[in-house]
Amino acid sequence: MTSGAPAPLISIIIPAYNAEGYLGQAIQSVLDQQVPSEMVEVVVVDDGSTDDTASVCETYESVHPGVVKCFSKPNGGVSSALNRGVREARGEILGFLGADDLYSDTAIGDVANFFAEHGDEVDLVAIGLHMFGTKNGPHWNNRSRFDTTRVIDVEQEWNLVQPHGGGSFIRAAALDGLAFDERLFISEDQTLNTQVILKKMKYGVVAGPRYLNRRHAVGGSLVSGSQFRSEYYTEVPALAYQRMLDAGRELHGATPRYAQAMVAYDLSWRVRGDLSMMDPALEDRYRADLRDLLRQLDVEVIMAQRAPIEVRLAMLNLREDGHLAQRLVRDKRIFRLDGFPVYSFEPRPGARHRPIRCDIDFFEPDGDDVVLEGRFRAVEIGQWSYGFEAGERYYPAEILPDTSPVRHRLADDLVAARRFRVRVRLAAGEDLRAVVHLGDGAGDEAPVTPRLNRFTRFAGSPKLPYYRRDGHTLYTLRRPFSIARRHLSVRGMIMAEVGLLLRGVKGRYPKADLLARVGVLTRRLIRRKDIWLIADHKSEAGDNGEALFRYLAANPVRGIEPRFVLSRCAGEYKELSRLGVVLEPGSRKHIRSYLDAAVVLNSAGDDYMVNLLGASPTMLNDLVKSRSVFLQHGVTKDDQSAWLNRPAKGFDLFVTSAERERESILNGPYGYRPEQVALTGMPRFDRLENDPDRLIVFAPTWRRNLSGALDKKSGRVQSAPNFAESDYFQFWQGVIGDRRLNDVMRACGYRGVFALHPSHAAEAFRFRGTDRISIGEYPHDYRDFFAHGEVLVTDYSSVAFDFAYLRKPVVYVQGDREEFFGGHLYREGYFSYDDDGFGPVVATVPELVDTLRDLIVDSCAMPARYRDRVDSFFAFSGGGNSQRLVEAIQDADRSRRR
């Protein structure tokens, strides 16, 4: 501690790194506290920022001398900055505030009063953590801890853990011999908190004040990006979790359950975490480390975690080295481990216990039959048999390849998601229910918890029954889980609607939804044309949607009324409005057209464009009769089933351009049937032009871990704080500024344009162009780039297919292939860049420059072997894709009506 002027009671330590946008707000939230100014000091530690963080702090220091103090150090990570702050602080009590976080205005005063009253009992006092920003509301781990101001005895209430440094205030004297571990980039606060609390086995909580934790987009915080770092798997388990357990043993002879619960708290998230971002070579060691940790935890502690039963059992399974099922002892309908009950056939409300869950993704009436698709989720403690009963008839479910997102989780070792399809005969007056037995059909029946997902087109809410009406047939969800079918007369249909509306009014359902329902039903009586609702993106066109809309405007099809969805701010809005109806995204006309539409077509596949009603059932879901057609944003070359699987998107028709592409969708874990994948070619290929003009187009794709927050209003992705420090930025800026490349282009009269992917458009200001290579302004005119381009340079982008469709050369730059596929939403698929690609693959800037130089010398002609690959890949060339697509949709509609 430093000496000098009279010491304040409380020091607030703020570690800051490139926090110029938020630091001032954080400091001000301390200065605005309802306490005397001499009672508190603000210690800001600038951890080697490269922006104006230092100047922000110095401004406050000059205005509030002696209260705000600024210190600078070379970048060393958050723990080193916190430790520097602890050394510089003079207060008896230390608080820790993130540079982008805030305190509510009574926080410091309330904490000071608590220490004054209970100072001898506790060394740590906490206030509730509340989120704001991209997420809002109390943190789930607050539970009821902060309902009253009190001292928590963790020997008794050992499961009430305090992991967060934000909102924790620690007596400075309690840190004697302790410090934040500078080897940790996360969990440093959790580890220190635990070591402090274990000393007295108590900590305080104060009701009322809040620690306001700002939530950013993916890539905007240490926690959100932690799974991309190897240390998350190799160092944190030992340096944080094992250290907490060891600290408990050192102080108390045996590990207190509080320390166990703190470790179990984190492990419950790790067991369900996605390991696809981890280097596969680390998995065996990682599993062994977690297994060793879990073996130091009591079964009761693991089972007390606030996690689904599947996760807790997965923790036990890892603890037992994958042999939990063999170690369980069955006692009638209860299973025990070491005498402790861990699993039961019976659901227990409020206990996060659900033996079997049946997620029905699709419910498709077909005359007197119903086809259901979905997933049974069960803990693999034995052999389950899955099926459905309708009336007195039993129908075994057909188990299909799983279409779950491509995730690799430790919990998957024990918890199975069995994808199924079943066709049942359901007559009027009968009930349909899921039936699951342990063993064969004669074994013990397990209760099933149902969930009707959005694409079942069941409407309703917790206030209203869940139902679906198809003409004269009404399907109703009954409790606990059965679906009843009734046949309605015309009068019955009217009465059912009137009854529903009356229940909606009594249940105070949104008036807008009630009026919308009446409007949809009324318009259906008079509408004569099928609405085809088409879109690319909220704020831009230029993709397959625009191409199809233009085709239908120029070639009207009887009985079809095309409508396009596009923001008035888009450059193409006026021109497209002259061709037909263009709707503002999210407007009443847009939503009304969505409910009235026969077909909804979209190239982006984003939920906010193709599923306007959201994920939860409403009073309107059963009114959605449209077929959803995915036009694609580009040719699917990789395995994108994690994003584009049918249960996640609900597409009724998936458009493809190549036979191998179509086969990859049908044979991969996407969940589409043959009649749901159309081979027509992309409409935008019909509009491609070829007018080469000595232009080199640089168009890399995006990176998931560098993508900022999505602005749902505009549909655009915002800037990410970590972009400027990324290898991605450094590499492509190096390409743009490479002297040799620019010299070659200058000598041969070539120019270039760098076109960032839309997900990184907000980062364009960071790049610096040259006299040869300009930075393209967003939105890009890709048609113009394709027309005038001579060579395309990309990494993994599907725009290579558009360029190759014109038989122009492509160069792939892939120095980070393993890292790219390890951390993206998809993985490598059927398309091999080396064997199937439309140009050479290079890894470095010098290789790229040599390749471009050779192409320029050869007049940018596509080499014969790559032209042969293009010719054999595409199913169609020379146009006609829009016409084929329209015919495919019409054929599918005719088959559906039969």
Side-chain angles (χ1 to χ4, degrees), residues 16-61:
Y17 176 72
N18 287 352
E20 62 177 357
Y22 304 108
L23 178 59
Q25 299 174 45
I27 296 173
Q28 193 63 49
S29 79
V30 180
L31 299 176
D32 290 342
Q33 293 294 302
Q34 298 176 9
V35 295
S37 60
E38 64 272 13
M39 182 176 173
V40 64
E41 71 173 355
V42 184
V43 178
V44 180
V45 180
D46 179 8
D47 190 34
S49 297
T50 58
D51 64 358
D52 289 332
T53 293
S55 63
V56 172
C57 185
E58 289 164 3
T59 299
Y60 274 90
E61 186 176 36

Side-chain angles (χ1 to χ4, degrees), residues 46 48 281 294 382 614 781:
D46 179 8
L294 286 164
D781 187 346

Side-chain angles (χ1 to χ4, degrees), residues 349-427:
R352 292 176 175 261
H353 185 88
R354 49 187 187 223
I356 307 291
R357 195 174 88 191
C358 179
D359 294 346
I360 299 180
D361 295 321
F362 299 98
F363 183 93
E364 301 174 349
D366 183 13
D368 286 335
D369 289 357
V370 175
V371 177
L372 298 98
E373 291 186 31
R375 286 156 292 173
F376 285 105
R377 297 181 182 273
V379 178
E380 296 283 83
I381 59 169
Q383 185 66 42
W384 299 101
S385 62
Y386 305 101
F388 288 82
E389 283 184 357
E392 300 295 325
R393 301 175 301 278
Y394 175 77
Y395 300 88
E398 176 190 1
I399 302 302
L400 307 172
D402 188 27
T403 59
S404 298
V406 181
R407 292 182 182 140
H408 175 34
R409 307 180 309 167
L410 295 174
D412 295 336
D413 293 348
L414 186 69
V415 181
R418 301 299 184 193
R419 180 122 201 101
F420 72 85
R421 180 185 298 133
V422 65
R423 175 182 286 270
V424 303
R425 174 63 56 90
L426 184 61

